[in-house]
Amino acid sequence: MDVLSKAVISGARPEEISATPLPDQYLAAHLRSEDVGVFDGVADKDVRRSLRLGSVPMPELAPDETLVAVMASAINYNTVWSATFEPLPTFEFLARHGRQGGLAARHDLPHHVVGSDGVGVVVRTGAAVSRWNVGDHVVISCVQVDDHEPATHADGMLGAGQRIWGYETNFGGLATYAVVKASQLLPKPGHLTWEEAASTMLTAATSYRMLISDKGARIKIGDIVLIWGAAGGLGAFAVQLVKQAGGIPVGVVSSDDKAEALRALGCDVILNRTELGVGTATTPEETIEQGKRLGRAIRDAVGEDPHVVFDYVGRSTFGLSVFVVRRGGTIVTCGSTTGFHHLYDNRYLWMNSKRIIGSHAANLQEQFECGRLFGLGKIVPVLSTVYPLSEVGEAARLVQTNQHIGKVGVLCLAPEEGMGVTEPEFREELGASALNPLRKV
Ligand code: NAP
């Protein structure tokens, strides 16, 4: 292990960290450009084959960037997309980014360090960084923006230069160091461990924008919200946000284990899609037939149709979502795990004045507001399991095969779980088990 990593792990003071030289290389989970095509014609695109762990060169830092020693990270579904080279090899994003020239060219490499969540300690700041200092404990937002673009100042997600760090950029979070723009940093809640804090931001903030923000469905007290994949990374935060907003979550899952996890999150109504036989429609007739069955199950449980449907499953569910949401209701979507080309009967949309909102990640203000909810203890992490960085392939495989519940954490520099708490009193007040509702399942 390099001396800087050792210093950070031992809790060195900021001046010691600044005086310790950077290593030339660091350990990182990465893809290699020569592996693109390795899955051609292969039915099971097993991410353990493409996700490599090894040393990569330490990049140069731009003036508006910081170098973070990553204590922990988490698996997001975008790492499954990257590691299967679908729908596009991410090397195409890196090449496009690199064509901007200047320091953007650093990203266009034959290796791609992936990972879009992380927490750690700032070990270097670029000359233009004024709000963050060496030694700060930070949560990393996955959204990089170009603040020279006018649209960025209306909403960070609208700027064309917006990129998802560790997916559309290099130097991501499943590594011992990460290059992060200062405008991606958020304070780490002191009562959370490294791995708890690292598992929150990407999916929680995405759910926040989809449900709470004025850019999303803007739910209110009493709203019934149908949540597909409610025990998944996005869903488990959506359930908590709906509860906190005074709404009624109706969670859909595929197994008894996941139903138990939803009960632990306090989800009011739980539907098992396997038992109900929904989410498999491939024709318009099947969609209506399954939609009627799902609609009946929701009405039986809560007496009315949902105000909002939270859908990122995509092709398998979207037609049902448009069908079951109530008149004037909203379907909010941020993804398409089962297929990007959605089929739905538009008559149900226009005749009943329903609307669809597309949503992507969250701007920095939304991420900050979401982080604040963690800081207040209003929402909690949904970690179910934690792997060391040396087993990152297994961690990603769990998510790829939908065997996980909530979030899967990864320890990077943190030598063990349970470290990084700086507000032990608040942690005790909330209770460690309340902060980990899915770990006992
Ligand atoms: P996740 O933890 O893997 O959760 C996905 C959930 O989808 C699973 O828990 C599963 O629940 C459900 N699911 C899978 N196949 C299904 C089917 N055929 N019908 C119904 N439900 C199904 O993933 P995640 O992190 O929540 O991300 C989910 C998707 O959103 C991914 O495609 C990801 O790329 C996208 N995403 C987009 C953004 C953005 O900003 N645009 C951010 C985060 C994620 P059950 O098996 O229990 O039903």
Side-chain angles (χ1 to χ4, degrees):
M1 183 183 287
D2 66 88
V3 277
L4 182 57
S5 297
K6 280 188 193 150
V8 170
I9 291 167
S10 68
R13 294 192 316 276
E15 49 279 22
E16 290 173 61
I17 294 175
S18 296
T20 309
L22 290 184
D24 297 334
Q25 304 266 324
Y26 67 105
L27 190 64
H30 62 277
L31 306 170
R32 300 220 47 105
S33 56
E34 68 258 30
D35 288 341
V36 173
V38 76
F39 293 129
D40 289 352
V42 176
D44 180 10
K45 300 173 175 31
D46 187 336
V47 293
R48 290 172 294 189
R49 222 175 127 191
S50 51
L51 206 50
R52 303 193 189 201
L53 187 70
S55 285
V56 296
M58 180 67 77
E60 188 187 345
L61 211 58
D64 62 346
E65 290 175 344
T66 62
L67 184 70
V68 175
V70 184
M71 304 308 285
S73 180
I75 303 294
N76 282 295
Y77 204 87
N78 67 1
T79 291
V80 175
W81 295 122
S82 316
T84 51
F85 307 112
E86 284 187 341
L88 290 172
T90 47
F91 290 98
E92 293 186 23
F93 302 138
L94 302 185
R96 197 180 308 155
H97 191 15
R99 280 197 290 276
Q100 287 184 332
L103 281 171
R106 285 170 307 167
H107 291 264
D108 185 12
L109 293 167
H111 67 267
H112 183 188
V113 179
V114 293
S116 302
D117 260 321
V119 297
V121 180
V122 175
V123 294
R124 291 291 186 275
T125 55
V129 176
S130 55
R131 294 174 68 98
W132 298 95
N133 297 301
V134 168
D136 288 346
H137 289 192
V138 291
V139 172
I140 304 169
S141 143
C142 67
V143 177
Q144 281 198 359
V145 298
D146 178 353
D147 62 6
H148 296 190
E149 260 194 73
T152 301
H153 296 272
D155 174 6
M157 299 315 298
L158 295 185
Q162 172 270 311
R163 291 184 171 81
I164 300 298
W165 164 73
Y167 178 65
E168 294 167 293
T169 81
N170 219 320
F171 322 127
L174 287 164
T176 49
Y177 290 93
V179 175
V180 178
K181 281 189 188 251
S183 58
Q184 286 177 260
L185 297 182
L186 297 157
K188 173 190 166 291
H191 65 292
L192 298 182
T193 64
W194 294 121
E195 65 279 4
E196 288 166 356
S199 65
T200 57
M201 198 42 76
L202 188 149
T203 50
T206 302
S207 298
Y208 181 93
R209 180 173 169 110
M210 289 172 77
L211 291 171
I212 309 293
S213 163
D214 58 1
K215 311 288 188 306
R218 210 173 188 174
I219 59 170
K220 61 184 189 315
I221 187 165
D223 279 359
I224 297 164
V225 183
L226 177 71
I227 302 167
W228 289 102
L234 289 165
F237 288 120
V239 168
Q240 295 186 59
L241 289 167
V242 172
K243 291 285 290 184
Q244 283 293 337
I248 302 162
V250 176
V252 184
V253 286
S254 61
S255 68
D256 291 342
D257 282 1
K258 292 187 180 186
E260 200 184 329
L262 276 195
R263 275 189 281 281
L265 289 174
C267 188
D268 294 308
V269 179
I270 301 168
L271 303 177
N272 185 322
R273 68 177 165 94
T274 316
E275 284 168 7
L276 261 181
V278 298
T280 52
T282 53
T283 64
E285 294 73 26
E286 282 173 353
T287 302
I288 289 174
E289 188 254 316
Q290 292 191 13
K292 284 183 178 165
R293 205 171 326 134
L294 177 62
R296 261 197 307 275
I298 299 168
R299 285 182 184 185
D300 284 350
V302 289
E304 50 187 316
D305 295 329
H307 298 63
V308 172
V309 181
F310 183 90
D311 190 329
Y312 53 79
V313 177
R315 192 177 170 88
S316 301
T317 54
F318 204 80
L320 300 178
S321 299
V322 171
F323 185 85
V324 299
V325 78
R326 74 171 191 170
R327 284 172 181 266
T330 302
I331 305 103
V332 58
T333 175
C334 75
S336 291
T337 310
T338 58
F340 304 105
H341 291 278
H342 298 181
L343 287 175
Y344 63 87
D345 188 330
N346 202 29
R347 289 170 296 178
Y348 292 100
L349 193 83
W350 99 68
M351 295 294 286
N352 298 309
S353 304
K354 302 179 179 185
R355 63 195 181 115
I356 296 169
I357 298 178
S359 187
H360 187 43
N363 64 37
L364 189 63
Q365 177 65 18
E366 291 160 340
Q367 306 233 13
F368 180 82
E369 293 297 341
C370 183
R372 186 172 158 267
L373 296 180
F374 284 102
L376 292 168
K378 300 274 183 203
I379 53 176
V380 297
V382 293
L383 265 183
S384 58
T385 181
V386 178
Y387 285 76
L389 186 58
S390 56
E391 292 175 28
V392 64
E394 294 298 335
R397 178 66 174 168
L398 205 64
V399 173
Q400 179 182 25
T401 52
N402 195 18
Q403 301 296 304
H404 69 301
I405 290 176
K407 295 296 298 177
V408 175
V410 177
L411 293 179
C412 297
L413 282 175
E416 57 187 25
E417 292 183 48
M419 300 175 74
V421 175
T422 52
E423 290 173 23
E425 300 81 12
F426 188 41
R427 185 176 178 84
E428 202 165 315
E429 195 185 309
L430 294 173
S433 63
L435 290 171
N436 282 284
L438 303 191
R439 292 217 70 173
K440 15 177 225 263
V441 180

